[in-house]
Amino acid sequence: MDASPCPLDTKYANQIAALLAPPSPQTIQEYYEGLIQKEKCHAVRIEINTEHGKGVFSNRKFEEEELIFKDQILVAAQHSSNKVDCFVCSSCFRFIGSVELQIGRKLYLQSLGLSVKKECCHQTFSNEKTASSSSESQNEDHLFFQENSDNAGQSSYGENSPSKEVLESLMNEKLSLPFSKQFSLPSIVPCPGGCEEEYYCSKVCADSNWESMHSLLCTGKSSCSLRQAAIVKFTEHANSTNDIFILAAKVISFTILRYRRLKQSLFENSKRPSSHNSTNDCNLSLLLEAWKPFAMGFKRRWWDSIALPEDMDSCVEALFREEMRDMAFSSLQLLKEAIFDIECAPLFSLEIYGHIIDMFELNNLDLVVASPVENYFLYIDELPSPEKEEAEKLTRPFLDALGDDYSVCCQGTAFYPIQSCINHSCCPNAKAFKREEDIDGHTVIIAVSPISIGEEITISYIDEDLPYEERQALLADYGFKCSCRKCRKEQPSR
Ligand SMILES: C[S@@+](CC[C@H](N)C(=O)[O-])C[C@H]1O[C@@H](n2cnc3c(N)ncnc32)[C@H](O)[C@@H]1O
């Protein structure tokens, strides 16, 4: 591959090396102890093991099916294509508005010829770390809020489906559906910057997302960003290529804003006005502190580690990797136009960008939140007669119009700091699984077999029922060969 096309890679080589250097065992220990305290996940601890790096270990016994811990989102995004189906809080990913709004909005957008989405599964570890899966999402993602060119003017929305007027009255809550009050959702809080992209379930979520990352990426009239048009261009590029770039932008924005807050408090503590720091020099120790949550995540360079699509000949591998790198570089250039900050310039190097993208590929849990619309229709279906028939006179046309898509859940990608330390086993003792009561984007780790004190918690990154060779091939994408009990037993003898 040719030398990096990004001049910042050379200019900030030392700072980049410091940002990508593995944190010391003591830093790791202190960081996770603080996080476990904050998230109250006292049943587990993080240990560093020379063989597999960090791992999660139990502090007590667990029975099968018992909750081990819940982990909060550090950075996450709903898949662009899923935004047609599910209207959720942009911070915690709870469904918002009302069941009527969810149904009306989705059918209304479908009636405009917008795309619909895919299957849902409540088991949430993402295991398809392949280029083909990202190109699949590329095809879906560019459809977000754009007319599908295949469907232009002839949406799948059926002739007998409810009229636009009916859908509007559902969305305006002029028309209410029977028993929907039992599925009430939080009211909608708009973005403080006035953009029409992000909505929240509460002022707490709105303010926290604004302060931690959105104020730099907002395209609204009252946003702090002077470069809204550039943000729109960046987002359009991500939606038409790979929406993981949106997550990478959130990580960079999060780090810049954290850096500015740290710098502000440093000046406040030293009793000097912050405006007197007129240099544009990067304060590396502050940048390292701001970046710390992401320094902890396991990562390599995305275009080097991404798996080749199955149907691709290995003789074009170098070209494929170069194309991936160039796509990331194009995205980075657009992001630079939008939010570049000279003091945090090393974050805009291609080297850092490539590692952030890979961090999501290697560590991500799929973000999954079950839909209240599914629960609502199941509830109606289970009503006794004649209440059921009476209710269905109103609800049936909407269910028929939604078809199989009535149950699509909120789907996205997230980085969960504690979960991302869990190592793989083909005979895991835990799984990531959302229960009925888990109505926001946090992840939930459940025991699948009894676990004793001190035992390592493991999950399966892949379908552990696949044959040995296929499992190893999939795990090669994560950069290791599995030697768990099951693999040692099934390994063919030489
Ligand atoms: C999600 S991270 C897990 C935490 C990781 N050990 C760390 O230090 O941050 C995934 C990476 O951990 C390592 N890993 C996970 N399970 C493993 C296993 N069973 N054997 C060897 N390495 C493993 C691999 O390098 C993999 O890419």
Side-chain angles (χ1 to χ4, degrees), residues 32 51-55 125 296-300 362-364 419-426 456 458 461 475 477-484:
Y32 284 102
E51 228 186 321
H52 300 158
K54 299 191 292 295
F125 192 76
M296 299 293 158
F298 190 86
K299 51 192 156 334
R300 296 171 295 180
L362 274 178
N363 292 295
N364 73 305
Q419 182 278 331
S420 71
C421 297
I422 304 184
N423 286 314
H424 162 88
S425 169
C426 301
E456 179 167 9
T458 53
Y461 294 2
L475 291 170
D477 299 341
Y478 290 88
F480 69 93
K481 182 169 187 289
C482 185
S483 54
C484 70

Side-chain angles (χ1 to χ4, degrees), residues 178-183 372-384 387-388 391-392 395 406:
F179 302 102
S180 66
K181 293 279 172 290
Q182 297 182 35
F183 296 83
V373 174
E374 176 180 19
N375 293 339
Y376 172 72
F377 282 117
L378 291 176
Y379 176 87
I380 299 291
D381 189 51
E382 282 162 17
L383 284 170
E387 271 174 305
K388 175 177 165 173
E392 280 186 333
T395 61
Y406 82 97

Side-chain angles (χ1 to χ4, degrees), residues 374-444:
E374 176 180 19
N375 293 339
Y376 172 72
F377 282 117
L378 291 176
Y379 176 87
I380 299 291
D381 189 51
E382 282 162 17
L383 284 170
S385 285
E387 271 174 305
K388 175 177 165 173
E389 288 72 21
E390 198 53 40
E392 280 186 333
K393 281 185 198 154
L394 253 174
T395 61
R396 178 55 71 181
F398 297 112
L399 183 59
D400 288 346
L402 289 168
D404 290 344
D405 285 324
Y406 82 97
S407 62
V408 173
C409 55
C410 166
Q411 296 170 75
T413 302
F415 181 72
Y416 300 102
I418 302 178
Q419 182 278 331
S420 71
C421 297
I422 304 184
N423 286 314
H424 162 88
S425 169
C426 301
C427 40
N429 54 18
K431 67 178 176 187
F433 189 82
K434 294 303 270 284
R435 304 155 305 166
E436 214 168 286
E437 64 262 45
D438 299 315
I439 54 170
D440 66 14
H442 63 241
T443 181
V444 181

